[in-house]
Amino acid sequence: MLKLLARLTETIISNLFPSAEDRADMYLPARYLSMSLVLMAVGIIAAVFAVLVPEKLLAIAVAVFCLGMGIAEFLCWKNQTIRVLTEDTFEYSTFLGNKKVYRFSDIVGFRRNKDSTTMFVADGKVHMESGAMLSERLIDRLNEQFGADDDDDDIFDEADEADEAVEPAEE
């Protein structure tokens, strides 16, 4: 039932905001927003239920959990982005909206996990959800940084094995 509500909300949101690609070179798709809205709605319903029912503990726990997860997922959808600024630099925004500019040459490696990819840069980490949408410009620049010379060597084109660590090519 929740998946159906999330899918319906995603369809409505996608039609209301068709130019999501223009947000950034890496962004989270509308399904993250739709799931956050469904979670927040369930949380609100559980909170109302907690007020009306004598046995409140479970309803309060569900309300707190769903509202917390819904807000966190909304923040991820809204804030977690990568924007390519120049051929050499990109801006990463965390789910809390903290922004930092990195150079592509600062990337020292990356690790693919089951649910995300973490790029290690000189003084931090850049987190990309596995469901994130990447622009061709960002994919090309990342593949160039990691020494992919042709389509068969592309690192950020198709899903690789999880928990794989890769270091950039020596220049």
Side-chain angles (χ1 to χ4, degrees), residues 17-69:
F17 306 107
S19 61
E21 306 83 45
D22 299 334
R23 287 181 40 203
D25 290 290
M26 190 254 348
Y27 64 94
L28 297 176
R31 72 175 168 263
Y32 285 79
L33 175 59
S34 64
M35 192 62 194
S36 74
L37 294 175
V38 168
L39 283 169
M40 287 189 280
V42 169
I44 291 168
I45 291 168
V48 169
F49 189 73
V51 171
L52 300 175
V53 175
E55 296 293 323
K56 300 177 184 202
L57 188 58
L58 181 60
I60 291 171
V62 169
V64 169
F65 177 78
C66 287
L67 285 171
M69 291 299 291

Side-chain angles (χ1 to χ4, degrees), residues 39-107:
L39 283 169
M40 287 189 280
V42 169
I44 291 168
I45 291 168
V48 169
F49 189 73
V51 171
L52 300 175
V53 175
E55 296 293 323
K56 300 177 184 202
L57 188 58
L58 181 60
I60 291 171
V62 169
V64 169
F65 177 78
C66 287
L67 285 171
M69 291 299 291
I71 291 168
E73 193 154 354
F74 176 78
L75 289 173
C76 283
W77 172 81
K78 181 180 179 298
N79 294 329
Q80 195 170 354
T81 60
I82 293 176
R83 286 182 176 76
V84 175
L85 302 175
T86 67
E87 281 295 309
D88 298 326
T89 61
F90 65 95
E91 177 187 66
Y92 171 62
S93 177
T94 66
F95 87 100
L96 293 175
N98 300 327
K99 295 180 180 181
K100 183 149 185 174
V101 175
Y102 294 105
R103 300 180 68 73
F104 283 100
S105 60
D106 290 341
I107 301 171

Side-chain angles (χ1 to χ4, degrees), residues 88-146:
D88 298 326
T89 61
F90 65 95
E91 177 187 66
Y92 171 62
S93 177
T94 66
F95 87 100
L96 293 175
N98 300 327
K99 295 180 180 181
K100 183 149 185 174
V101 175
Y102 294 105
R103 300 180 68 73
F104 283 100
S105 60
D106 290 341
I107 301 171
V108 295
F110 77 92
R111 177 171 291 283
R112 292 230 177 171
N113 304 307
K114 292 182 187 335
D115 65 340
S116 64
T117 298
T118 302
M119 285 193 306
F120 300 98
V121 291
D123 61 346
K125 296 178 184 178
V126 172
H127 183 80
M128 296 186 294
E129 295 292 335
S130 60
M133 307 300 288
L134 303 177
S135 71
E136 285 296 320
R137 178 170 68 161
L138 179 60
I139 290 171
D140 291 345
R141 194 60 193 96
L142 290 172
N143 283 331
E144 183 180 312
Q145 174 62 25
F146 285 96

